[in-house]
Amino acid sequence: MIIYKAQDYKDMSRKAANILSAQVIMKPNCVLGLATGSSPLGTYKQLIEWYEKGDIDFSNVTSVNLDEYKGLDPNNKQSYRYFMNTNFFDHINIDKKKTFVPDGLEMDTEKATSKYNEIIRNTGGVDLQLLGLGHNGHIGFNEPGEQFEKETHCVDLAQTTIEANRRFFDSEDDVPKQAYTMGIKSIMQAKKIVLIVSGQDKAEILDKALNGPITPELPASILQLHNDVIVVADKAALSKWS
Ligand code: F6R
């Protein structure tokens, strides 16, 4: 495992974007595993900037995203498909037909998850998976206690997550109660993993994930077993590093 210490969020984003752009330059038809949330926003912004300068060409890249809310339309502003389009895909020359996010509108769990596993398999496998870290150690929507061996599956969102999301929706009834997520097994199959972490509030969980016991109670701890992980974290996130 390689750890890159960044000064702050901006520096973390630039370092992560450097790794992603190197991947695309080395293998123009690579498969990128992508994440949503606040952690990768700066990375996407930096990649867009370099794309606009003519430094990166995404035309042959395929992408697979980690997760999507079950029941949300891709045009819903809270959907992860909408997030990816507006924060990244709409601004680069990636072929949208080669960008994949679990199908939130497929209400048949078995169909949705097996279709997504097949999509991932058909890409030939993820070359580089970008990950953020949840405050409880989750990666994707794999919450503490989930089994390590799963591929894409459906998770019930924790009540705390539903309440936290409440502010983005008109009423609590509109807040999705379930999500589709790549499982730990799918994530661990990526050839390279880049974990980006920023902020003091993640310092303790980051230290536990990388130095503590490997347990499904802290899903990110499984990354200790992957043979090509790069952690890009800022000083604040590494402040409890032991
Ligand atoms: C997002 C995802 C989540 C986030 C994690 C951290 O697709 O899979 O695991 O990476 O919740 O979120 P932020 O970056 O918002 O702190």
Side-chain angles (χ1 to χ4, degrees), residues 184-220:
I184 295 289
K185 184 176 173 189
S186 341
I187 292 171
M188 289 294 280
Q189 279 167 346
K191 293 183 189 99
K192 181 189 277 300
I193 294 179
V194 178
L195 175 71
I196 49 176
V197 194
S198 170
Q200 177 74 38
D201 52 324
K202 296 211 177 144
E204 205 171 319
I205 198 72
L206 178 62
D207 181 47
K208 280 192 186 144
L210 304 184
N211 293 316
I214 298 165
T215 161
E217 289 306 319
L218 204 168

Side-chain angles (χ1 to χ4, degrees), residues 63-204:
S63 73
V64 284
N65 258 77
L66 283 167
D67 39 21
E68 179 60 287
Y69 290 115
K70 181 175 176 180
L72 283 200
D73 189 283
N75 295 315
N76 185 308
K77 290 191 173 153
Q78 305 310 328
S79 76
Y80 286 173
R81 162 55 78 181
Y82 187 90
F83 176 102
M84 289 310 299
N85 285 351
T86 51
N87 290 300
F88 196 30
F89 301 150
D90 286 347
H91 309 282
I92 56 172
N93 66 337
I94 198 164
D95 177 357
K96 283 248 186 79
K97 289 196 290 298
K98 290 195 291 190
T99 67
F100 300 96
V101 178
D103 183 358
L105 283 183
E106 177 55 80
M107 297 310 280
D108 182 329
T109 293
E110 174 48 35
K111 265 195 201 159
T113 55
S114 54
K115 190 172 129 201
Y116 206 60
N117 286 331
E118 201 184 314
I119 285 171
I120 298 170
R121 263 193 295 278
N122 286 344
T123 65
V126 174
D127 291 295
L128 186 159
Q129 176 67 56
L130 183 65
L131 290 178
L133 177 67
H135 286 105
N136 59 2
H138 74 214
I139 44 179
F141 261 127
N142 296 280
E143 298 289 2
E146 294 238 10
Q147 298 157 25
F148 276 149
E149 68 266 26
K150 282 187 179 167
E151 296 191 274
T152 309
H153 60 290
C154 181
V155 287
D156 294 326
L157 300 182
Q159 188 55 32
T160 47
T161 307
I162 294 169
E163 278 156 23
N165 288 344
R166 165 73 184 86
R167 66 187 193 283
F168 300 119
F169 294 86
D170 292 339
S171 76
E172 186 163 334
D173 284 350
D174 294 334
V175 186
K177 310 290 184 290
Q178 291 184 309
Y180 294 128
T181 182
M182 272 191 203
I184 295 289
K185 184 176 173 189
S186 341
I187 292 171
M188 289 294 280
Q189 279 167 346
K191 293 183 189 99
K192 181 189 277 300
I193 294 179
V194 178
L195 175 71
I196 49 176
V197 194
S198 170
Q200 177 74 38
D201 52 324
K202 296 211 177 144
E204 205 171 319

Side-chain angles (χ1 to χ4, degrees), residues 15-57:
K15 284 181 162 57
N18 258 310
I19 300 167
L20 266 84
S21 69
Q23 173 68 68
V24 175
I25 290 164
M26 300 285 283
K27 186 178 175 190
N29 63 345
C30 66
V31 180
L32 298 178
L34 299 176
T36 59
S38 52
S39 305
L41 271 178
T43 306
Y44 296 150
K45 207 167 153 227
Q46 181 65 77
L47 287 170
I48 292 166
E49 225 176 282
W50 288 336
Y51 163 71
E52 284 168 350
K53 278 195 188 158
D55 290 344
I56 323 172
D57 174 12

